Amino acid sequence: MLFLIRIQLLKVRLHLTNILSARYLKSEIFSLFIIVVIQVSEQLYLLTNECQLTEENTKLRFLACSLIQDIASAYFSDCIVKPFGSSVNTFGKLGCDLDMFLELNKVGKNSVKRKTSPFNIIYQMKKAPSERIAAQRILNVLGEFLDNLGPGCEGVQKILNARCPLVRFSHQPSGLQCDLTVNNRIALKSSELLYVYGSLDPRVRTLAFSIRYWAWNHGLTSSIPGAWITNFSLTMMVLFFLQRRQPPIVPTLDQLKKLADAKDKEVIEGFDCTFVSNLNKITPTSNTETLDVLLGDFFEFYGNFAFNKNSLNIRKGKEQNKPEASALHIQNPFEENLNISKNVNAAQLQRFVNLARDSAWILQQMEKRPLDNSKPWGLVALLQASEPGRVSKGFKRLNVLNSDRVKDLLNSLKM
């Protein structure tokens, strides 16, 4: 009964979230508004404010995690299911996937004993040859349960042979696409790191959000696994670019580590994940460059970057020689032996470079807004598809949502 009540509460929250974000769905009004804005910087701030996750949508994601935790607790009584990635690092946009991980490290620790009967039932998993195999077994069991008995869980896929095994499914009550992993604590720490960087300066989050939106709009990123550049890689590229400014806008990870206290010390699976958590200890940057300057220089920087020989490293804040033959090499901030962009092939990287060069050229041609507001300008021009006369894919997606989805939501609320 309690579970059904939580499902109904989730549906109510979903309706409220869609109503609160109705301005996002009114794409025609949004596109007209953004065209007449005088400065590119203002356009970027407007885009971020209109399309970022709302507080209500973020709460919805935590509630969805708690529902999955209720299911998992049937096997692991003290487990915790937490969101990570774009849902919590402040860089996520409305409609982004929900990454969640099942934490089992605290199972059996600080547990509260509940007397339900004279008998105790203890579930113990058989010893596995490795943590990876253990994770695969756990996800296999949970995947089967979600597929056959999970309330509102549809399209369940068990992707157990990936580098990080996961279960992917659609959670119908919340309308979210979900990826569930096990004990992915380094990924959670990466989310915390991005949260810190995004809190240092308002330009950081706005520039990263705008670049990610630009990439999504042009089909450079995808929720489907493949040779695409990921949002995490794009965010690392933005941070690296901001570290290279003179003076730097954000510090390197090594600098954040030096500012850390003893309570910030954390080693996960042998990797040092230490960085300062007290933002007051970080000296604000003296860099005063505007967002329009940073956006143009970002495209120019990577449009001419020597990807064939150099690697990006936000821990050091400087280029390094590529240790492997991957088309794009971005060092994982914590697992330094890993390349977070190893999946990207040469063709996809070249698409990114070409679009970056085109975008840099477009921005250079329009120093001032034209008097004719009917012509695409600034950010809108950047979001236009490469082929002449074609409407931006991102705005097409928003236009589809504009009418039918709002009508459906209003009709459902009348029930």
Side-chain angles (χ1 to χ4, degrees):
M1 184 64 183
L2 179 60
F3 192 84
L4 293 176
I5 293 174
R6 287 162 65 83
I7 286 286
Q8 292 302 319
L9 177 60
L10 181 58
K11 290 181 178 179
V12 172
R13 283 185 179 273
L14 175 61
H15 288 315
L16 290 174
T17 299
N18 286 322
I19 292 171
L20 289 172
S21 61
R23 65 182 186 275
Y24 170 72
L25 301 177
K26 298 176 181 176
S27 58
E28 293 180 1
I29 297 175
F30 169 63
S31 59
L32 287 174
F33 185 29
I34 206 169
I35 287 174
V36 299
V37 173
I38 297 176
Q39 299 292 336
V40 173
S41 295
E42 295 177 12
Q43 290 182 329
L44 299 184
Y45 282 121
L46 175 63
L47 174 70
T48 304
N49 290 334
E50 292 295 312
C51 300
Q52 67 185 347
L53 289 178
T54 62
E55 180 181 355
E56 195 67 30
N57 193 274
T58 301
K59 291 179 179 178
L60 177 71
R61 291 164 184 268
F62 276 90
L63 181 56
C65 286
S66 71
L67 293 173
I68 301 303
Q69 179 176 309
D70 288 345
I71 295 173
S73 62
Y75 298 94
F76 309 99
S77 60
D78 296 318
C79 70
I80 302 173
V81 175
K82 297 179 180 179
F84 69 96
S86 297
S87 296
V88 293
N89 63 22
T90 73
F91 293 98
K93 67 177 177 64
L94 287 168
C96 67
D97 292 349
L98 169 58
D99 295 316
M100 55 177 74
F101 83 98
L102 175 69
E103 185 174 13
L104 300 175
N105 290 335
K106 295 182 181 180
V107 170
K109 299 177 181 179
N110 303 321
S111 59
V112 178
K113 293 185 178 180
R114 293 172 293 179
K115 186 173 182 180
T116 57
S117 73
F119 305 99
N120 290 323
I121 299 177
I122 300 176
Y123 292 91
Q124 290 184 332
M125 193 180 77
K126 295 179 180 178
K127 186 176 181 180
S130 67
E131 289 190 12
R132 175 180 175 82
I133 294 177
Q136 290 173 327
R137 291 178 180 177
I138 292 168
L139 289 172
N140 183 56
V141 171
L142 290 178
E144 286 294 323
F145 187 94
L146 292 174
D147 193 19
N148 294 288
L149 299 171
C153 298
E154 298 184 3
V156 178
Q157 303 175 60
K158 295 183 290 184
I159 309 174
L160 305 180
N161 292 322
R163 189 185 72 83
C164 182
L166 60 94
V167 172
R168 176 167 294 161
F169 61 95
S170 175
H171 190 245
Q172 295 301 309
S174 64
L176 297 170
Q177 293 293 323
C178 305
D179 286 345
L180 174 66
T181 58
V182 175
N183 281 344
N184 199 1
R185 294 171 58 215
I186 291 183
L188 180 64
K189 203 65 182 175
S190 296
S191 300
E192 294 176 6
L193 177 64
L194 293 189
Y195 182 88
V196 169
Y197 273 121
S199 302
L200 294 180
D201 189 294
R203 292 171 295 177
V204 177
R205 189 162 59 90
T206 303
L207 182 62
F209 187 95
S210 300
I211 294 297
R212 287 165 59 142
Y213 191 93
W214 165 85
W216 166 78
N217 179 79
H218 287 292
L220 290 172
T221 58
S222 174
S223 59
I224 302 172
W228 335 98
I229 298 176
T230 65
N231 280 324
F232 185 52
S233 293
L234 282 173
T235 308
M236 291 295 106
M237 294 173 78
V238 171
L239 294 177
F240 182 80
F241 164 75
L242 295 177
Q243 290 173 342
R244 301 292 293 166
R245 305 306 288 175
Q246 294 300 327
I249 295 178
V250 296
T252 66
L253 181 51
D254 277 348
Q255 290 170 334
L256 293 181
K257 180 182 176 181
K258 290 180 180 178
L259 295 173
D261 294 327
K263 62 181 178 62
D264 296 321
K265 179 72 175 177
E266 188 164 5
V267 176
I268 302 174
E269 299 172 13
F271 297 102
D272 192 348
C273 302
T274 303
F275 57 87
V276 63
S277 59
N278 184 357
L279 300 182
N280 294 325
K281 298 182 67 175
I282 305 173
T283 304
T285 179
S286 59
N287 186 302
T288 58
E289 292 176 297
T290 57
L291 269 174
D292 54 326
V293 171
L294 293 174
L295 181 67
D297 286 359
F298 173 88
F299 290 131
E300 188 172 349
F301 181 80
Y302 285 112
N304 297 283
F305 191 84
F307 289 108
N308 61 323
K309 62 179 182 179
N310 288 333
S311 168
L312 280 65
N313 182 356
I314 71 161
R315 181 170 286 277
K316 303 295 181 184
K318 61 182 179 181
E319 299 95 340
Q320 294 182 327
N321 292 330
K322 287 172 65 173
E324 58 184 46
S326 300
L328 175 61
H329 192 282
I330 304 175
Q331 186 182 88
N332 188 299
F334 299 122
E335 299 176 87
E336 298 182 51
N337 58 322
L338 294 182
N339 173 15
I340 65 172
S341 55
K342 191 173 183 177
N343 62 300
V344 180
N345 61 26
Q348 287 299 319
L349 178 60
Q350 191 58 50
R351 283 195 66 227
F352 168 82
V353 171
N354 291 341
L355 281 168
R357 290 173 178 173
D358 290 345
S359 298
W361 183 85
I362 289 172
L363 290 174
Q364 290 171 2
Q365 301 307 305
M366 47 181 69
E367 295 181 357
K368 296 182 179 179
R369 179 174 64 85
L371 297 177
D372 185 359
N373 288 334
S374 64
K375 295 181 179 179
W377 174 82
L379 178 61
V380 178
L382 294 184
L383 296 180
Q384 292 288 348
S386 302
E387 293 79 9
R390 209 174 134 195
V391 180
S392 158
K393 178 168 55 174
F395 284 116
K396 271 188 177 181
R397 293 176 184 174
L398 292 177
N399 285 329
V400 171
L401 293 173
N402 185 38
S403 55
D404 295 338
R405 186 172 178 184
V406 172
K407 290 178 183 178
D408 291 341
L409 286 170
L410 291 176
N411 289 333
S412 65
L413 286 172
K414 293 177 183 178
M415 296 177 60

